[in-house]
Amino acid sequence: MTSTQAVGSIVSIWRYPVKSMLGEELNASDVTKGGLVGDRAYALVDSSDGKIASAKNPRKWPHLFDFRAAFAEKPKAGVKLPVVRISLPDGTIVSGEQADVHQILSKVLKREVKLSAATGLPKSTAEEYWPDMEGLDHRDTVTDFGLPEGTFFDCAFVHLLTTATLDRLRSLYPQGRFEVRRFRPNIVVEAANAGNEEFVENDWVGKVLAIGDSVRLSITERCPRCVMTTLPQSDLPKDLGILRAAAKHNKASVGVYAAVLQGGKVRRGDSVRIE
């Protein structure tokens, strides 16, 4: 029998059906090799240059966080995804299957876009704006980055974050509102016995996490943060200090990325263990 070390339990689960829009909080989700079922299943494609719309470049896409996406029904592994519904900034809800969905979204965004599914899509690119801030790889510039073929993920299929890291950042920058939604994780873990440890999930890189009865994740790297964490959304204000604190105290990383070794179901309250 494999020996394990308990590191915490799941306190929240998140899925983002449309890339760079607000998503939905879940009580449970199926997990496959491609991550949480339905996560980043769709994105908006800029008709002028073919690039994927991303809040990482807020100068070009300043209003994506004013949209929210959710599925009409619960998605299940191995079955065609249900209809995605998008709430517009004025509260209007449009269906991904409406014939005029592309025109409606283009009109609101003031830029011609198409709502596209990730499946079967060739390798695509998106843009990222780097603020002029010490500790980042680039400063005050926009760079292109490639997305894995057939997906709308930036780097990895699963993103985990601990409440301990959020608490640590709050202690380092008390003025900032370090809320889960700024960081867009899939799984939030309440760390056991974290105490005053610095960024506990940093130590998970290179290890395997077992979640619940069956899911096993390989923690591949720290999650580098970007300007998205500083953007306003709902009642959260714009705050460059959020990213500045991460850059100063943890090499601009918050949370970790993971690959799926074994799928299954994750539920709120599931135990999280290091194998």
Side-chain angles (χ1 to χ4, degrees):
M1 183 175 177
T2 305
S3 62
T4 61
Q5 172 194 348
V7 293
S9 60
I10 294 178
V11 289
S12 61
I13 301 168
W14 296 84
R15 173 174 59 222
Y16 310 90
V18 180
K19 183 178 182 64
S20 283
M21 292 185 184
L22 302 187
E24 48 189 346
E25 187 174 6
L26 313 170
N27 288 316
S29 175
D30 288 341
V31 179
T32 70
K33 293 284 187 179
L36 275 64
V37 172
D39 190 38
R40 275 81 170 191
Y42 297 91
L44 301 181
V45 180
D46 188 337
S47 298
S48 66
D49 57 17
K51 293 180 180 178
I52 305 302
S54 172
K56 285 177 180 284
N57 188 5
R59 291 178 174 179
K60 184 176 180 180
W61 305 103
H63 301 298
L64 289 177
F65 280 174
D66 295 333
F67 296 73
R68 183 180 298 275
F71 286 107
E73 300 172 17
K74 180 181 176 181
K76 296 180 181 178
V79 179
K80 182 184 175 183
L81 289 175
V83 175
V84 67
R85 290 176 175 164
I86 298 172
S87 299
L88 305 182
D90 67 358
T92 303
I93 296 176
V94 297
S95 162
E97 292 189 345
Q98 285 181 219
D100 59 350
V101 65
H102 311 301
Q103 291 89 338
I104 291 172
L105 293 171
S106 298
K107 183 177 180 180
V108 177
L109 286 163
K110 298 181 173 59
R111 195 174 190 99
E112 189 175 337
V113 296
K114 288 187 176 180
L115 180 67
S116 175
T119 50
L121 196 75
K123 190 168 183 178
S124 52
T125 61
E127 296 172 327
E128 176 173 2
Y129 168 69
W130 300 78
D132 188 5
M133 186 180 297
E134 188 174 348
L136 302 184
D137 290 344
H138 307 277
R139 297 180 69 162
D140 194 25
T141 189
V142 174
T143 60
D144 284 4
F145 63 95
L147 308 178
E149 188 171 341
T151 82
F152 290 133
F153 292 95
D154 291 345
C155 296
F157 292 132
V158 181
H159 171 208
L160 300 98
L161 177 64
T162 66
T163 55
T165 282
L166 293 179
D167 288 343
R168 180 61 179 150
L169 287 165
R170 290 184 189 113
S171 72
L172 293 165
Y173 176 53
Q175 309 94 298
R177 290 178 59 185
F178 288 91
E179 298 188 20
V180 165
R181 49 194 166 141
R182 281 203 189 272
F183 300 95
R184 299 172 63 81
N186 296 121
I187 297 173
V188 182
V189 177
E190 183 171 10
N193 306 315
N196 293 319
E197 285 185 58
E198 300 251 343
F199 310 107
V200 294
E201 59 269 53
N202 288 356
D203 293 335
W204 298 354
V205 175
K207 299 176 181 177
V208 173
L209 284 191
I211 300 178
D213 298 329
S214 58
V215 174
R216 294 171 70 248
L217 305 178
S218 171
I219 307 301
T220 53
E221 62 180 315
R222 297 185 190 187
C223 181
R225 307 317 312 205
C226 67
V227 73
M228 285 178 72
T229 59
T230 73
L231 301 179
Q233 52 172 291
S234 301
D235 61 320
L236 285 178
K238 178 181 178 179
D239 187 354
L240 283 171
I242 298 291
L243 182 56
R244 192 173 286 114
K248 180 178 179 180
H249 298 287
N250 199 38
K251 299 180 180 178
S253 296
V254 182
V256 288
Y257 281 138
V260 180
L261 298 177
Q262 182 174 302
K265 186 179 285 288
V266 293
R267 302 173 180 83
R268 191 194 304 258
D270 276 354
S271 63
V272 180
R273 310 168 306 279
I274 290 178
E275 289 192 344

